[in-house]
Amino acid sequence: MHQPTDSTDLHHEDAYAMWDRLAEFSAGEGDAALNFLLATLCAMFAARNVLWAVVVRLPSATPTDALLGWRPRLVRLLHPIPAVAASVQEQFDGLWSPKVDVSQILAVSGDEPFRTRLLFQTLPPEWFEGEHYRRHYLNVGHADSMSMRCSLNDDVRIHLFVFRDAQAPRFSALDSRQLGFVMRGLRWFYRQQLLSHGLLIANAPLTAAERKVLLEMLDGHTEKQIAQKLDQSPNTTHFHVKSIYAKFGVGNRSALAALWLGKLR
């Protein structure tokens, strides 16, 4: 006898399909893979927008820093609508001010290796009457969010926020559990994303030019092919390749590729 399928089963099937598709992207297609992940989450949870951030701990945090040294290093919006992008930039700039919002403090508090949270269960009722909620939620078309945080090591975390508008129902505890199920098994993907920006192992973040060269290298292209594709001289390409090797602490392409396979620390 056929057993009825509940919403949990359907979400799990969606998650399995998403994981399979993410695994099909090549190492050089990191940007496309991330966009696919965010778009899939937006559709899966009937959301308005999704924000992805890499958050790192600064080595010289002051004792009075309410955020304990944690600051975004890389932020990506699925739909970079001007009003939303401006709101994100304003919040980013305000992280270095003496006064930060309680929602930002709670986002970095705690040391759980993985967690999900619902906005309306995390913040007190009076917060929703305040300036931050009005300015950075209601004024840009958002009314609710749920979040995911995953620690990759003591100093690097992935933060993800899924937003809904006022016309949609609030996120539920089931939504939060589903988000946790979908995202918890993707540590390998988070690691690849950070590697592609030089944020996990490299001695210094990659420049925009170096990152373009790196992604082409990971797709197996020779330096000559990379130079032609990026419309740069072979000497410029070679300079970037040497800089990439130095930043990752490797001496050749094979050792660089091993980082993506998790064989080097």
Side-chain angles (χ1 to χ4, degrees):
M1 181 177 177
H2 178 70
Q3 296 294 322
T5 301
D6 64 23
S7 60
T8 301
D9 293 332
L10 292 175
H11 273 286
H12 284 188
E13 290 300 320
D14 290 341
Y16 301 148
M18 184 185 75
W19 294 342
D20 289 344
R21 179 67 185 95
L22 283 175
E24 293 172 358
F25 285 95
S26 71
E29 296 176 317
D31 291 342
L34 179 57
N35 189 69
F36 168 77
L37 170 64
L38 302 186
T40 302
L41 292 173
C42 198
M44 186 180 295
F45 293 102
R48 182 184 180 92
N49 214 336
V50 183
L51 182 145
W52 156 283
V54 178
V55 180
V56 301
R57 195 201 307 262
L58 303 178
S60 56
T62 65
T64 58
D65 183 3
L67 300 177
L68 306 176
W70 291 103
R71 295 296 189 282
R73 181 63 182 82
L74 177 69
V75 178
R76 172 83 174 270
L77 276 167
L78 174 62
H79 303 304
I81 302 163
V84 179
S87 168
V88 171
Q89 184 65 53
E90 181 182 331
Q91 292 180 76
F92 177 83
D93 294 340
L95 295 178
W96 278 264
S97 67
K99 184 178 180 180
V100 294
D101 189 72
V102 63
S103 63
Q104 297 165 327
I105 296 173
L106 290 174
V108 301
S109 66
D111 56 3
E112 309 96 319
F114 183 92
R115 77 180 186 203
T116 60
R117 282 183 169 177
L118 297 172
L119 183 70
F120 278 87
Q121 289 185 359
T122 303
L123 278 301
E126 58 269 22
W127 183 84
F128 296 91
E129 304 296 328
E131 173 70 10
H132 192 91
Y133 181 66
R134 181 188 64 80
R135 190 177 188 89
H136 299 296
Y137 273 80
L138 299 181
N139 284 3
V140 299
H142 297 158
D144 190 17
S145 70
M146 63 176 174
S147 62
M148 179 280 304
R149 192 181 83 190
C150 181
S151 297
L152 296 184
N153 58 40
D154 290 341
D155 299 307
V156 181
R157 294 170 173 174
I158 298 296
H159 287 214
L160 181 123
F161 294 84
V162 185
F163 299 97
R164 278 181 179 169
D165 58 30
Q167 285 68 49
R170 287 184 187 176
F171 288 112
S172 66
L174 176 59
D175 290 322
S176 183
R177 290 195 299 272
Q178 296 289 1
L179 181 64
F181 176 81
V182 170
M183 302 300 293
R184 190 157 197 160
L186 290 178
R187 287 178 61 88
W188 65 270
F189 177 78
Y190 309 149
R191 187 175 182 277
Q192 283 195 351
Q193 284 290 315
L194 268 64
L195 282 169
S196 75
H197 288 273
L199 293 175
L200 189 61
I201 292 180
N203 295 323
L206 301 179
T207 66
E210 289 168 350
R211 186 165 185 266
K212 289 179 182 178
V213 172
L214 171 65
L215 295 179
E216 295 297 328
M217 292 172 66
L218 293 173
D219 269 349
H221 298 139
T222 65
E223 288 190 24
K224 182 178 179 180
Q225 291 171 328
I226 295 170
Q228 291 174 342
K229 184 171 182 180
L230 299 182
D231 193 25
Q232 57 189 212
S233 72
N235 285 340
T236 297
T237 300
H238 186 66
F239 174 82
H240 289 320
V241 169
K242 290 297 184 183
S243 179
I244 290 166
Y245 287 162
K247 286 185 175 182
F248 280 97
V250 298
N252 53 55
R253 190 180 292 228
S254 297
L256 184 67
L259 293 175
W260 262 256
L261 300 175
K263 294 182 178 179
L264 293 178
R265 288 188 177 273

